[in-house]
Amino acid sequence: MTTDPTFDKRFLTPKYWGIWLGMGCLKLLSWLPYSAKFFTGQLIGRLMYRFAGKRRKIAEKNLEIAFPETTDVERQQLCKQHFESLGMSFAEMALVWYGDHKSNHANAFERSLVEFTGREHLEAALSKDKGVLLLSPHFTTLELTGLFLSFLTHYHAVYRPHNNPLMDYLIAKGRSIQFDNGETVEPVANSNTRKMLKILKSGEAMTLLPDQKYRAKGTVQVPLFGKNCPSNPATSKIAKLTQCLVVPLFTRRIQTDQGVRYQVEFLPALENFPSGDDIADTARLHRLYETAIRMTPEQYLWVHNRWDLKL
């Protein structure tokens, strides 16, 4: 069992009070009834659309690149829906960081919210006695994806450490999950390559989100929605070094008469992967992402400057 993330007494100084205020608001959001959480999240998203001008411009430009066949009015409507989806992600964060599963993982309320499709593909990959790399692009449902996956299997989550040390502490603590066997597993920093490889070589499962802008050494230019963007070929390299299986998964938020529910879809483990061509492999992954994004375009993270645009 791992230990809790380290708390630093400096986090109590005035420099961090704004973050603590935000965490207090998130805690209040977690106390609201389930449906009220998402109504409040939508309101937050509408406010963000109005006042987060820089992020709105990034989203608008991204949507123009991804969906050139749509009209300005259609893209503006999609952008508004995206910000509502982004606001709802705060409600999902409250569920993950403060939800029932924190004290009652085996019988958590959150288990009733999700339907799994293609579960047999995950089980088949896990049965091969190899490491399993689970790929999940940056949708606004990101926070819940890890929680839902924990209902099916033990795994390690990879994340990018936050530049602010208090936020890094809170993210690690909030996303840590106590599995049914009592073990608590914290996220793994994406800079800790040695640990990532060790996990997969030992036959365990690990999640990875490799779809964002990448400008470090080894970057490749690969098209997404027909336009090149700086991309990370790490998935191919990791698969080659560990001989792991690569299983894509996608989480979708669904509005029903009973309120917000979720679907997690697992695809079959990728065949002939890696191919030996990192660019071709990354382009193949991008095509998978595009197909998933088109199903629920408002739920992808469009406020990220994926194409490294100069705005």
Side-chain angles (χ1 to χ4, degrees):
M1 179 180 297
T2 58
T3 58
D4 286 339
T6 304
F7 182 85
D8 193 318
K9 291 182 179 179
R10 293 179 302 163
F11 296 160
L12 299 176
T13 60
K15 176 182 178 180
Y16 298 104
W17 286 358
I19 294 176
W20 287 116
L21 178 61
M23 290 301 100
C25 292
L26 191 67
K27 183 68 173 179
L28 289 174
L29 184 59
S30 74
W31 289 340
L32 293 178
Y34 182 70
S35 59
K37 284 183 176 68
F38 290 95
F39 177 75
T40 304
Q42 284 181 311
L43 292 179
I44 293 172
R46 291 168 190 167
L47 289 172
M48 292 170 63
Y49 176 83
R50 182 173 181 180
F51 295 108
K54 181 178 179 180
R55 290 296 172 183
R56 186 177 67 247
K57 288 181 180 179
I58 291 174
E60 289 171 345
K61 186 61 178 177
N62 285 341
L63 291 171
E64 183 181 346
I65 292 171
F67 305 106
E69 72 280 4
T70 59
T71 66
D72 291 344
V73 172
E74 289 171 336
R75 287 196 297 272
Q76 184 182 47
Q77 181 60 28
L78 181 54
C79 190
K80 289 179 179 179
Q81 293 171 347
H82 169 61
F83 273 86
E84 288 188 359
S85 179
L86 196 61
M88 292 171 75
S89 70
F90 286 102
E92 292 161 356
M93 184 183 294
L95 279 173
V96 173
W97 289 27
Y98 303 109
D100 185 40
H101 69 95
K102 286 291 188 179
S103 59
N104 189 26
H105 187 268
N107 299 292
F109 156 74
E110 293 86 3
R111 289 176 182 261
S112 66
L113 304 178
V114 60
E115 173 189 3
F116 297 101
T117 63
R119 180 174 176 177
E120 67 274 12
H121 301 312
L122 171 65
E123 293 172 347
L126 293 172
S127 70
K128 299 296 185 182
D129 199 27
K130 292 185 176 183
V132 176
L133 186 61
L134 295 149
L135 298 186
S136 180
H138 282 78
F139 283 83
T140 57
T141 51
L142 166 64
E143 290 288 342
L144 276 175
T145 297
L147 173 59
F148 291 151
L149 185 59
S150 76
F151 297 151
L152 300 182
T153 188
H154 181 289
Y155 74 96
H156 300 263
V158 175
Y159 84 112
R160 184 179 68 83
H162 201 282
N163 294 332
N164 184 292
L166 174 55
M167 282 303 304
D168 193 55
Y169 164 81
L170 292 170
I171 290 170
K173 190 171 182 65
R175 291 181 180 173
S176 64
I177 294 175
Q178 184 173 13
F179 292 88
D180 292 344
N181 63 1
E183 183 178 5
T184 299
V185 178
E186 301 164 18
V188 179
N190 61 3
S191 57
N192 195 343
T193 305
R194 180 176 296 180
K195 185 172 183 179
M196 292 164 59
L197 297 179
K198 181 179 179 181
I199 287 169
L200 292 171
K201 286 181 177 179
S202 67
E204 297 184 74
M206 185 178 78
T207 59
L208 185 67
L209 295 84
D211 62 307
Q212 290 201 317
K213 176 178 61 182
Y214 185 71
R215 291 179 296 187
K217 183 179 179 180
T219 185
V220 293
Q221 291 288 332
V222 177
L224 179 67
F225 288 98
K227 183 178 176 62
N228 277 351
C229 51
S231 303
N232 190 348
T235 306
S236 296
K237 297 181 183 301
I238 291 172
K240 181 179 180 180
L241 289 170
T242 65
Q243 302 299 304
C244 69
L245 298 173
V246 178
V247 177
L249 71 117
F250 306 99
T251 303
R252 301 180 182 95
R253 187 188 302 116
I254 302 171
Q255 297 279 3
T256 72
D257 293 339
Q258 292 75 42
V260 178
R261 294 295 185 270
Y262 298 86
Q263 179 192 70
V264 177
E265 178 187 17
F266 296 95
L267 300 186
L270 300 179
E271 296 183 358
N272 302 316
F273 191 96
S275 67
D277 185 334
D278 291 348
I279 293 179
D281 288 343
T282 306
R284 179 182 177 184
L285 296 178
H286 282 191
R287 290 192 293 272
L288 290 176
Y289 303 157
E290 287 182 30
T291 299
I293 290 168
R294 290 183 187 279
M295 294 181 68
T296 52
E298 76 285 355
Q299 294 180 27
Y300 190 61
L301 193 65
W302 297 112
V303 293
H304 169 67
N305 192 356
R306 182 64 184 91
W307 283 275
D308 201 16
L309 306 170
K310 307 303 180 184
L311 300 174

